[in-house]
Every structure is written in C-alpha cells, then in structure tokens.
Amino acid sequence: MNKETLITRLRDIVGEDNVLFSEMDLTLYGYDASMEKGRPDAVVLPGSTEQVSQVMALAHEDRIPIVGRGSGTNLSGGTIPSRGGIVVHFSRMNRILEIDIPNRRVTVEPGHITLDLQNRLLAEGFVYVPDPASQKVSTLGGNLGENSGGPHCLKYGVTSNHVLGMTLVLPNGDVVPT
C-alpha cells in the first residue's frame, strides 16, 4: 500500500487529527530513550479498543509492521519502529475505567500515567507497587510491555506480578479479554 493510501485509511479509522506523518513527527517517533533509531511510515493515536482493532486489521491485511508506544521512556528500544510501519501511540487512551477497592482491582487504559495511578490509589489508602524511575511520565501499557520494575519491586514483584487480566488486540484485529 502506498503511503498516501495508508494515511487516508488510518484517518478514516481514527480521525484526521490523530494520524501524524510529517517529517518532524516521523523523526520524533523513531526513537526512545535507548540508543537505537528507526523511522515509522505513520503514527496513529487511537481513542478506543475498537480503533486499535481496526488499525491492527488494516496492518495485518497489508503486512505492515506495528509498534505500540506509550511515553517512549524505555531504555531497551522496545518502541523503535526498526522496520518502519505504524507506531500506535496510546496517549489518548489514558483513563482509569474503574477502581474497585473491595476487590483490590483497577481497570485502566494503556496510556494512563503510572504516577497518576499511584497517587489516585494512595488517596484510597492503597498502593500500586511498580515504580519505574520514569513513573512521572511512563504509561501503564508501556510498563506492561517492558515488564517495568523499580526499587519497590525487589520485594513485591514487577509489573507482570500485579496484572490480573487485560484486553488484547491480536495482529488480525480480534479483541480478546484474558
């Protein structure tokens, strides 16, 4: 698929303002806090699981690489579009959907900032333990993707030890709760 068609189809899914493709945008989304660099063909900012599903289905259909991205603070190159493709940036999916104190569960979207969740739970007398150094700007989806830790995790476990379930969007666009 040519780039113009890709941009048009992505805009149809997420809206005109939520597809980035300028030279500056592609450069900015081509690296993270690691030393590696790449260059995406487009950056898309979905606002819902349904939009993520549609973007994934489009990419799957045309074999376009996908890289998920939160704040890009990781040091491992986990958000580098090394083969081009689409960067799916989750900054618009940043809400707390539910805080269920009696069952000690929180449901969040992947773009929610780690420290914001920690502060919100602290107000309830609870704590979300994973505390990466980048917690002021790192996102929970990125923390999960990188299995982030921090000093508190030596005793209480890293991110994967605190996740009870998630909704996944598979490469073909299928949505699967786990």
Side-chain angles (χ1 to χ4, degrees):
M1 170 181 323
N2 69 45
K3 188 170 179 174
E4 186 175 304
T5 302
L6 175 64
I7 299 303
T8 299
R9 291 187 65 190
L10 290 172
R11 283 178 160 177
D12 289 344
I13 295 170
V14 299
E16 186 173 334
D17 294 339
N18 299 310
V19 179
L20 309 176
F21 57 93
S22 73
E23 289 299 314
M24 181 172 52
D25 290 328
L26 299 181
T27 299
L28 292 173
Y29 284 92
Y31 66 94
D32 58 16
S34 72
M35 300 298 288
E36 301 300 315
K37 291 191 181 199
R39 185 170 183 84
D41 298 306
V43 179
V44 59
L45 293 89
S48 68
T49 301
E50 182 179 329
Q51 288 180 351
V52 174
S53 172
Q54 291 174 17
V55 169
M56 293 299 289
L58 168 67
H60 183 72
E61 177 184 315
D62 285 296
R63 302 182 57 83
I64 300 168
I66 291 278
V67 174
R69 183 180 175 110
S71 297
T73 57
N74 55 295
L75 298 171
S76 69
T79 60
I80 303 297
S82 59
R83 295 181 7 225
I86 302 168
V87 168
V88 180
H89 190 268
F90 292 100
S91 61
R92 290 182 57 221
M93 295 177 68
N94 60 6
R95 298 175 301 147
I96 295 176
L97 301 175
E98 179 184 20
I99 295 179
D100 180 359
I101 294 298
N103 291 303
R104 297 181 180 202
R105 291 187 302 188
V106 177
T107 304
V108 298
E109 292 179 322
H112 194 74
I113 301 293
T114 308
L115 186 60
D116 292 346
L117 177 63
Q118 291 168 331
N119 288 336
R120 178 66 177 84
L121 291 176
L122 193 58
E124 301 285 341
F126 285 85
V127 65
Y128 175 70
V129 174
D131 60 335
S134 60
Q135 65 188 338
K136 291 180 182 178
V137 294
S138 68
T139 60
L140 293 164
N143 292 175
L144 181 61
E146 292 290 317
N147 200 24
S148 298
H152 292 131
C153 294
L154 294 172
K155 183 173 182 180
Y156 297 106
V158 294
T159 299
S160 62
N161 300 114
H162 299 274
V163 175
L164 299 174
M166 66 185 90
T167 300
L168 300 172
V169 178
L170 301 178
N172 67 357
D174 288 350
V175 178
V176 180
T178 66

